[in-house]
Amino acid sequence: MSINAGDILFQLFAIIILVTIFVGALSFFRSQKQRGEQLNRMEKKIAELSEELKRK
């Protein structure tokens, strides 16, 4: 029973693809969370500015 170079390369690429998918998914969800937080900050700032303009 010998190990072929092709088998090693196939396993290596398969692992790289799985890791890439996992990291991509984590990055996507993290960026979505940050985008939501940014939108909340923007909405708060707009509301503050709107109230300030109503007072004047």
Side-chain angles (χ1 to χ4, degrees), residues 6-52:
D7 292 339
I8 293 171
L9 287 175
F10 178 78
Q11 290 296 322
L12 183 63
F13 284 128
I15 290 171
I16 289 172
I17 289 170
L18 288 175
V19 169
T20 303
I21 291 170
F22 181 73
V23 170
L26 285 177
S27 297
F28 174 76
F29 288 118
R30 187 171 176 228
S31 70
Q32 290 300 314
K33 179 183 175 191
Q34 289 175 346
R35 185 174 296 164
E37 291 171 353
Q38 182 182 22
L39 285 173
N40 289 338
R41 288 192 305 268
M42 290 172 64
E43 288 174 353
K44 183 179 176 184
K45 185 67 172 178
I46 289 170
E48 290 172 359
L49 290 172
S50 177
E51 287 296 321
E52 191 175 314

